[in-house]
Amino acid sequence: MDKLREECGVFGVFSDKTEDLARSCYYGLYALQHRGQESCGIVVNDDGVFHDYKDVGLVNDVFTHDVLKSLGAGNIAVGHVRYGTTGAGGRLNAQPIVVNHVKGRMALAHNGNLTNSYELREELEMNGSIFHTTSDTEVISYIITKERISSPSIEEAVNRAMHRLKGAYSLVIMSPSKLIAARDEHGFRPLCYGRTGNGDYVVASESCALDSVGATFIRDIEPGEILVFARDGIRSIRDHCGKEKQTMCVFEYIYFARPDSVIDGYSVHNARLRAGKFLAQTHPVEADVVIGVPDSGLDAALGYAQESGIPYGIGFIKNKYIGRTFISPGQANREDKVKIKLNTISETVKGKRVVMVDDSIVRGTTCGPIIRLLREAGAKEVHMRVSAPPFTDPCYYGVDIDSKDRLIANHHTIDEIRQIIGADSLGYLTLEDVVRLTADDDTDRFCTACFSGKYPTQVPTNMRKNRFEGKISERSEREEEKE
């Protein structure tokens, strides 16, 4: 796959009455399905009794009518959709994680990636902790649980734990009586909350999930903030706010988030329109039609068309019944895979000079087949425009880029990439423009490390995605010496 894998999505709801919150979680997770298609889970709290269900697969497949009914009613619930960046996929690492503790149960769902999870896990294991999963989310749950022993409340345990957690994390946490939302000090990943017409409070990774349950957006949770929902009201703990410079992942606006979401006050749709506008300014070309690669390339293509004056057209139809987790037929049949997912509208491109806009080029393995589809449909020229700069460096904050070796931009010049994918011209969004996606005067609030190599935090020494699951022959000498 030449696309980056999504983040995870978190969802939580707090009510002052007992009701069918599993269904609310279902709708919220359905709206966040684009953020993760490996697994999903829901935990419902009925007056301190937790009922949970999680499995691999899409939300609609996992949560049948009977499963939702079995979760029962409650007054608090949390949910999660997952694509794993630390720890392999599968039911074992599905979230939310449920912890049974002498001071009360806890359910936790996490979006992001800790940069110090390896060190924290090693420390915990050397002190007797036994892990059941290989995800960094369980590390977070252990740190919070350890702090809970000496803390007067669950929120204070979370507050203390945040002093030890490094990297990206947006959390929803459920105790027997409270719903807690927390966002890391840099604000790498989005998190917001709203309220429904019947008074329920809802926390979600994106505002589109609030819309799906009829909740009105109130505000984004600030970087470093802990928000506590309880029967006596809402309380904000701001001990960690303002300690670090905000560095929201700019790729949320380029690709990850749904275009109908608003993140940290800025419309994702408008950000993508601006990306297309900037591309038209920096990489103009004489052409007859502008098309986008579904889905995240469509808005940027519209922006390119509006700025350039070239007509916008629908060039591809996407098979919406194929999820991003369907079985890949392998590298040799990659073009067949593209044909299964996309089909061209020949009337749009036949005999025309086409500008094709997509959100990114990672390995460069699917761009070529897509361009060939256009040529087979009769396109005279294909000019590719990319609404992100070239990927040159790994991401340590939740995006599935763990090696420079897999990035085509590290091995080839732009013109070489153009030749490899078979385009007549190729243009990327510039680093100067990518930080202007939301506003011209607010350019210092993004993490662009995957494009620039300039990281806002200390770079971890061990960040292999499946580093807790490798074969003996793949372990380092240092790891072997510990056995």
Side-chain angles (χ1 to χ4, degrees), residues 4-199:
L4 299 181
R5 296 299 190 104
E6 282 82 355
E7 303 299 314
C8 298
V10 299
F11 189 85
V13 56
F14 179 91
S15 178
D16 59 4
K17 52 192 172 297
T18 300
E19 55 184 297
D20 185 7
L21 297 187
R23 198 163 298 276
S24 295
C25 266
Y26 172 85
Y27 291 132
L29 295 183
Y30 200 88
L32 296 172
Q33 185 74 86
H34 59 286
R35 298 187 69 87
Q37 296 98 33
E38 280 188 358
S39 62
C40 53
I42 294 174
V43 185
V44 175
N45 178 354
D46 180 15
D47 193 27
V49 178
F50 288 15
H51 302 279
D52 68 288
Y53 189 86
K54 50 191 176 182
D55 205 348
V56 296
L58 302 177
V59 173
N60 192 47
D61 296 326
V62 171
F63 289 103
T64 63
H65 173 76
D66 289 341
V67 169
L68 288 173
K69 186 176 179 181
S70 71
L71 290 171
N75 61 304
I76 314 175
V78 294
H80 187 267
V81 290
R82 182 177 194 265
Y83 171 71
T85 51
T86 296
R91 196 176 191 278
L92 177 71
N93 284 324
Q95 296 184 39
I97 285 180
V98 177
V99 176
N100 296 301
H101 190 259
V102 67
K103 285 202 170 184
R105 305 185 82 184
M106 178 181 74
L108 182 148
H110 166 218
N111 170 29
N113 206 54
L114 296 187
T115 56
N116 64 336
S117 63
Y118 189 88
E119 292 78 12
L120 290 175
R121 182 179 176 120
E122 183 178 61
E123 173 193 322
L124 290 165
E125 288 183 336
M126 296 305 288
N127 283 283
S129 297
I130 298 174
F131 284 79
H132 298 280
T133 77
T134 56
S135 74
D136 56 347
T137 306
E138 191 174 12
V139 173
I140 297 174
S141 71
Y142 261 102
I143 297 295
I144 294 174
T145 301
K146 283 193 68 175
E147 296 294 346
R148 184 69 182 94
I149 295 172
S150 58
S151 298
S153 64
I154 180 66
E155 57 265 35
E156 181 56 29
V158 174
N159 193 11
R160 294 180 184 180
M162 285 176 65
H163 288 288
R164 304 203 62 198
L165 305 178
K166 305 299 179 184
Y169 54 89
S170 287
L171 309 173
V172 289
I173 303 165
M174 180 173 69
S175 76
S177 61
K178 299 170 184 175
L179 177 68
I180 298 170
R183 194 175 178 194
D184 71 76
E185 296 173 352
H186 288 273
F188 283 108
R189 301 292 153 214
L191 196 63
C192 63
Y193 82 101
R195 196 173 192 184
T196 66
N198 64 359

Side-chain angles (χ1 to χ4, degrees), residues 452-482:
S452 65
K454 297 178 181 178
Y455 296 96
T457 70
Q458 184 176 350
V459 175
T461 56
N462 192 329
M463 283 301 296
R464 287 190 298 110
K465 177 180 183 287
N466 299 328
R467 61 189 178 276
F468 302 124
E469 297 146 342
K471 296 179 180 179
I472 294 175
S473 58
E474 296 172 344
R475 297 181 189 177
S476 67
E477 291 182 6
R478 181 170 173 265
E479 288 173 322
E480 290 175 357
E481 288 174 356
K482 292 176 181 177

